[in-house]
């Protein structure tokens, strides 16, 4: 009996690792789909050399936007239907591959392709920050109305 439990938990751990690796690789390996932690840090550090205030704003905005991963599937569907996809793409330009995977892994390949096409367009840091600010206003309005919840502890998770 104990052996069966260990095998089961090992399989669960292996599955969790596989999921984490898929998220870290992003939606598509052949397209730009966000950055990893090191790339994100390097990009923000480059901005900080010329404009420390902008870099801090971007850093704070990325941290806030990263909370989008805590939405339920139902919330994501509503959010992605209502949000301006062009603005979202610019706002998430410097976000993690994991976040973009979390938001778009459950939508159709067509929607994924369209978003990744928009995400691929490089923008100056000031444009990214402006889009982030606008997106955060939109998200906060959705939070205030109760349409979305960005708290990782808001839902019970059973392991």
């Amino acid at each position: 009996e104990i052996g069966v439990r260990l095998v089961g938990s090992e399989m669960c751990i292996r599955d969790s690792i596989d999921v984490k690796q898929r998220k870290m690789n992003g939606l598509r390996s052949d397209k730009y789909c966000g950055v990893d932690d090191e790339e994100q840090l390097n990009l923000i550090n480059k901005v900080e050399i010329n404009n420390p205030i902008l870099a801090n704003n971007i850093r704070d905005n990325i941290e806030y936007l990263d909370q989008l991963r805590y939405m339920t599937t139902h919330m994501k569907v509503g959010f992605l239907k209502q949000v301006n996809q062009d603005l979202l793409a610019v706002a998430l330009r410097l976000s993690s591959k994991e976040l973009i995977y979390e938001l778009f892994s459950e939508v159709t390949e067509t929607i994924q392709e369209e978003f990744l096409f928009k995400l691929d367009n490089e923008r100056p840091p000031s444009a990214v920050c402006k889009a982030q600010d606008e997106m955060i206003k939109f998200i906060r309005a959705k939070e205030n109305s109760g349409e979305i919840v960005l708290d990782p502890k808001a839902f019970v998770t059973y392991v």
Side-chain angles (χ1 to χ4, degrees):
E1 222 177 345
I2 293 173
V4 172
R5 286 186 186 156
L6 288 176
V7 171
S9 66
E10 286 176 13
M11 287 176 60
C12 183
I13 292 169
R14 193 172 306 122
D15 290 345
S16 296
I17 292 170
D18 290 344
V19 169
K20 179 74 170 171
Q21 286 176 336
R22 277 196 306 273
K23 289 177 184 179
M24 290 177 67
N25 291 332
L27 287 172
R28 298 270 311 264
S29 60
D30 61 331
K31 297 206 181 263
Y32 179 84
C33 54
V35 294
D36 62 33
D37 293 339
E38 188 176 326
E39 290 172 307
Q40 190 179 69
L41 186 60
N42 289 338
L43 290 167
I44 293 172
N45 286 341
K46 285 180 185 176
V47 172
E48 193 166 31
I49 292 169
N50 296 319
N51 193 335
I53 294 171
L54 179 61
N56 283 333
N57 289 342
I58 290 172
R59 193 176 291 114
D60 291 345
N61 289 345
I62 287 171
E63 186 176 319
Y64 181 82
L65 291 170
D66 194 63
Q67 295 177 43
L68 290 172
R69 72 179 63 231
Y70 301 123
M71 291 190 293
T72 64
T73 301
H74 179 73
M75 287 180 213
K76 287 177 195 175
V77 168
F79 175 77
L80 293 173
K81 283 182 179 177
Q82 296 174 9
V83 72
N84 177 324
Q85 295 285 320
D86 294 322
L87 183 65
L88 181 63
V90 177
L92 296 182
R93 176 75 186 150
L94 299 178
S95 291
S96 70
K97 291 179 181 185
E98 286 182 75
L99 173 61
I100 293 164
Y101 181 92
E102 289 278 347
L103 287 176
F104 289 92
S105 63
E106 298 171 305
V107 299
T108 65
E109 284 188 35
T110 304
I111 293 172
Q112 287 178 5
E113 288 291 322
E114 288 174 5
F115 184 77
L116 292 178
F117 178 77
K118 294 173 184 178
L119 185 68
D120 193 41
N121 295 324
E122 286 192 47
R123 300 296 179 105
S126 58
V128 171
C129 188
K130 183 178 179 188
Q132 288 172 333
D133 289 340
E134 290 179 43
M135 188 56 50
I136 288 171
K137 283 181 194 172
F138 175 81
I139 294 166
R140 285 196 171 128
K142 296 293 174 196
E143 277 186 292
N144 290 336
S145 70
E147 291 179 57
I148 62 174
V149 177
L150 301 181
D151 183 0
K153 297 174 187 159
F155 301 96
V156 176
T157 303
Y158 296 98
V159 180

